[in-house]
Every structure is written in structure tokens, then in C-alpha cells.
Amino acid sequence: MTQDLYDVAIIGCGPAGLQAAIHAASKKAKVIVFGKPTKSSLYKAHIANFCCYEKPISGKDILEAGRKQAESFDAVFLEEDIVKTKKENNLFSLVTESGETFTSRSLLLCMGIARKKLRVKGEKKFEGRGVSYCVDCDANFYKGLDVAVVGNESAAATGALTLLLYAKTVYLICRKLMISDMLYEELKNSQVKIIQDTWVKEIFGTNEVEGILLKNDNTLKVNGIFVELGAKGAMELAANLGVAFDPETFSHVETNRKQETNIPGLYAAGDITGQPWQIAKAVGEGCIAGIEAAEYAKKLANR
Amino acid sequence: MTQGVLDVDDTNFESQILKADKPALVDFWAPWCGPCKAIAPVITELEKAYGDRIIFARCNVDTSPNTPTQYSIRAIPTLILFQNGKVVDQIVGAVPKSHLEEAVKKIL
């Protein structure tokens, strides 16, 4: 299903994404924001160092107010993760976890940074020998084998579905799934074996992964385990667009003072561009990115 | 001027890498792999700095499946450093440039 063409698409609805949405939408750009506010690192935080707020304020309140403010300028919000991005003929196309496709003239990466490792025994030892952090990269190495995916969100669920095309058996290990209803239906009707209410305790093997021990003390014999925590991040979503990362950690997208990345029409703001991880920096960068992206989209539309 | 990052495949891996008169770093990658794209510029930079003494090559695991199987590669990007036809180091994932540079200096 293809939707209307947007001027500015924003992945992430934390402070950077919200401020960008407010500025872009107030410039009359057609704006859509993807993501789940509960996933912002701000959601559970209390802020005591944000200018003009003397008393500590709740992150949840800020996020809700920001969304209302952006909506008052006609920005559209969709509480879904993006699982795929592409750039074709100067337009970005984005696929949501429910499988809908959206098209936009510009794209803002405001999804922050997330923890990717499980931090369990055996994880480091077997990295590259059965432990993988990228289904899209490594699924092909598990043809006809048994694999487990661990994670509660869209990256794990879509990863498990992708692995079905290669592996013999696919387990999805999760505490509790937090995905869209449509994705849940797809998963439920698939061959993925969902193991809920537990987590991985240990990864074992000799030279390669041979199995995993779960918190509920069951063991699973698998050849591989894919760690897919949270939603897909910049590495999974934007690296395919050719975006440049900082060469030391590969976790930060490099931007200039206009919040432009090396890809025309692609901007980044907030924690994803590097430290300090502060709301003040996020809204500052979001403001610039929103204005710049709206102007870029306008120029592109008038070409 | 160095020769740039060399493309190798299943057919010429032995002659170009294993039987080469210089040590080699091979980047096992695929077009659909985001982290592979992210580290590619780092490999190019290292090639410019050390390409006169070490062969820098890349092997597409999609079109050359035999070589990665031979080295039990289960994740990409994987970087393998060869010296006299033998594996001297194997690095998995997008690791920092400084880490890669150290590994390269060891085989100079």
C-alpha cells in the first residue's frame, strides 16, 4: 500500500524528532513522525537541567506536550517502528513494522542510540561463531539450521520472519512482545516458535554456538542466536543508504552544522549524532534539522 | 599511489591472497549488509596508508560462498588477516578504526 508523498519523514519521537516536527510543520511542510514515545530514553527520566524549567519535569509529560504541539501544526504521528529504508529517484521510502510503505522527500534520523548486546555468558566468546547482531547480514549463513532470535520488539519479530526464509527452525525468545497488531498476527500465523515470558541466560558451545540456556532453565539446541533488541537503529536502517558513521564507534552518524549527513536530504539530530546525550542538545539539533529538511523538501518539490 | 582495494572471489582467492608475496587483509562483505557499508570507508583509508606493504581485498560472500565457508564465517563483516597463506587474525563486526589499524600494524 502506498501513501501520500511527505516532505519530511522523521524516525523517532524523542525531543529531537519532536522539535524537528514542530519546526518543519510550522514551515508548512507535510510531516510524518514514526516511533514509540515509550522507547525514548526521556520517557522514564526526570529532567532538572533543561533551561527555563526550574522544577524537575517528567520526561513523559514533555514528550506528550511536544507531540500535541507538533500535531497542532498538522504533523502526523504513527506509533510504529520503521524496519526498512530506501532511496530512489531522490525520494526516501520507508516500510513500517506493519508493512506499510511511506514516501518522503527528506528523512530525519532521530531514533537515538540503543543497547545492542545481551551481556550474558558466552555472548562475546561466540560473536561471529553463532552470535549475530544483524539478521539482514547473516541470515544466509544459517540455511537449513536451527536459530533463535532474542528481543521483544519489531527488530526481533521482523528478524524472526526473515530467518524463516533460510533456517529450518526459528525460535523467538522474548519477555513480552511489544509490536504492532498486524505484525503480531503475521508472526502468530507463521512457523516462528514463540517462547514468551523468559530470556536468555547463557550461550554455550565448544567452537561454535550449540545452544542456549533460558532463564526458565530450559535449554534450546540452536546453531545460531540473533540478538535483536529494540527497534532497528541507524546502522541497520541508514547504513544501506550509504550514510557515514564516526569511524571509532560506528554508533554516531556524522553531521555538519546544518545537521546534514553525507546523503542529500538525509539529516540526523539528537543522541544519534553523539554526546552529550542531553535534551537541550537534542532539541537544538532537532530545530535546525527540521528547518533545513523542510527547506530542502521545498526546493526539491519546485525543481 | 597504492592500487586500491582489490576484489577477490572463489576462483582467484588462492592465487591473489593465499599465495601472495605480501600479507593480506580480506573484508568479507555483502551488498545487503549495513555494517559492511559502514566500515568500507575505513578499509579504503587503511589501504591508502598501508596498501604498499599489505594487500587489501574484499570478497563478496553472496557471489563467492565457498571461501567464507572454508573459514567458518557466520557473520559479516568479517575481516581476516593472512600471512603466508595462513590466518593470523580474524575480526568480526564493525570495529573501531584504531583497533583495525593495530591489527594491520602487527602484520607489517
Side-chain angles (χ1 to χ4, degrees), chain B residues 27-96:
Chain B
D27 168 16
F28 291 88
W29 72 289
W32 62 74
C33 159
C36 301
K37 287 219 171 150
I39 66 154
V42 174
I43 307 287
T44 307
E45 273 177 44
L46 288 175
E47 198 276 333
K48 279 186 190 135
Y50 302 100
D52 53 338
R53 286 160 288 171
I54 295 176
I55 298 166
F56 285 78
R58 49 185 223 155
C59 176
N60 180 337
V61 302
D62 192 22
T63 50
S64 289
N66 299 339
T67 311
T69 307
Q70 205 173 328
Y71 295 100
S72 307
I73 290 172
R74 287 281 195 82
I76 47 173
T78 285
L79 306 166
I80 304 185
L81 289 96
F82 292 91
Q83 205 159 22
N84 302 319
K86 293 211 171 69
V87 176
V88 289
D89 203 353
Q90 189 153 345
I91 298 162
V92 181
V95 300

Side-chain angles (χ1 to χ4, degrees), chain B residues 91-103:
Chain B
I91 298 162
V92 181
V95 300
K97 186 184 170 191
S98 52
H99 179 150
L100 271 183
E101 193 159 11
E102 256 172 56

